[in-house]
Amino acid sequence: MGTLAVDNIQHTDGSSAVTLNNANITNLSSGVTFPACAFSAYLSTSQSGIHEQATSATGYSVIQFNNTTFDTHSGFQTSGGNQYKYVIPTGQGGIWLFNVGVLLGSATDSIIRGYQLMLFNGSTFLEEDAQRYAGNDVAVVRGKLSTIASVSAGDVLEVRVQSNTTTNANTTAHASFYNIPHQHMNNVVDRSTIFNGTKLGTA
C-alpha cells in the first residue's frame, strides 16, 4: 500500500480531538483502497442508425462510447469483443453505482415518439428509462438512468437503446446537443451521451 498525504484532517470524539497536519498515513487496512475503482466514458462522435422499435420490438443498438475522461483500472474496452462496454476489473466486484445519459435526435425532421434506454450486465437487465410521447412535437430527448447493482469481476456492462419516430426512421445518439441539426443554440462543446460508474463497496 502506498502513502497517503494528509493535510489538516480533524476528528472529534467526545472531549478528545485528533488533528493531523501535513502527516503521512501508511499501513492502511486491506479494506481501504485509494483510489476507488471508477470510470467515465462518453460518445465523442454521433452514432447514427439507432434501432427503430417499429422494425423489431426486441432489437436494440449498443451505444458506442469511444472515449474516457478517466478509467482508474482500465476496465473500459475500446476494441475487441467487448468494445464500447465496461468489464469489471479483477478484484473489483461488489456494489457499484452506474449512471447513463443518451441524447437522441432524428437525422431528419421526423418526430420522436418514444425510446427505451437500458443498462445490461451481460444478458441480465439492470435498469431502464423509457418514455412514450402522445404529442408530435418532441424533436430531441435525453434519456437518463442511475442504478446501484451488485456485480462480479469479469461482468460486462453495456448500454442499449431503441427508439421510435413518426416516420419509423432511425434516430441518432448525439455526442453533443450543439451539433444536432436545427437546434439553434450556441456552438459550445459538451458531452451529452455518457456512461460512468464507481465502486461503492463490497457486497
Side-chain angles (χ1 to χ4, degrees):
M1 177 70 67
T3 298
L4 174 67
V6 179
D7 182 17
N8 200 28
I9 291 180
Q10 188 174 68
H11 171 70
T12 302
D13 181 14
S15 60
S16 63
V18 176
T19 301
L20 302 176
N21 291 297
N22 300 316
N24 289 326
I25 296 177
T26 58
N27 300 322
L28 293 174
S29 69
S30 60
V32 180
T33 302
F34 296 95
C37 188
F39 72 96
S40 180
Y42 64 96
L43 190 68
S44 65
T45 303
S46 294
Q47 177 184 344
S48 60
I50 297 300
H51 181 79
E52 166 58 45
Q53 187 273 338
T55 304
S56 169
T58 58
Y60 59 86
S61 295
V62 175
I63 298 299
Q64 299 174 5
F65 300 100
N66 59 338
N67 271 294
T68 59
T69 54
F70 62 86
D71 185 4
T72 62
H73 289 64
S74 302
F76 205 87
Q77 307 299 299
T78 56
S79 63
N82 290 318
Q83 189 175 19
Y84 312 126
K85 305 171 187 179
Y86 186 76
V87 179
I88 302 297
T90 300
Q92 297 302 323
I95 305 301
W96 279 67
L97 169 65
F98 297 102
N99 299 292
V100 177
V102 175
L103 183 68
L104 293 172
S106 176
T108 66
D109 289 327
S110 182
I111 301 302
I112 295 176
R113 294 192 296 193
Y115 68 88
Q116 185 180 23
L117 169 63
M118 301 162 282
L119 178 63
F120 271 76
N121 178 359
S123 61
T124 301
F125 169 82
L126 293 181
E127 187 59 88
E128 73 172 349
D129 174 32
Q131 302 290 338
R132 180 75 167 103
Y133 303 108
N136 287 327
D137 58 354
V138 180
V140 180
V141 296
R142 186 173 189 266
K144 294 178 288 184
L145 65 83
S146 180
T147 190
I148 296 174
S150 177
V151 296
S152 301
D155 283 356
V156 180
L157 285 298
E158 67 177 48
V159 176
R160 304 178 183 179
V161 176
Q162 62 174 350
S163 63
N164 186 227
T165 69
T166 53
T167 60
N168 296 331
N170 297 112
T171 54
T172 295
H174 289 280
S176 167
F177 177 77
Y178 304 99
N179 64 18
I180 298 175
H182 314 303
Q183 50 76 23
H184 304 300
M185 296 289 181
N186 292 330
N187 187 22
V188 179
V189 175
D190 67 355
R191 292 170 181 162
S192 297
T193 296
I194 57 94
F195 177 24
N196 61 57
T198 184
K199 183 180 178 181
L200 301 179
T202 57

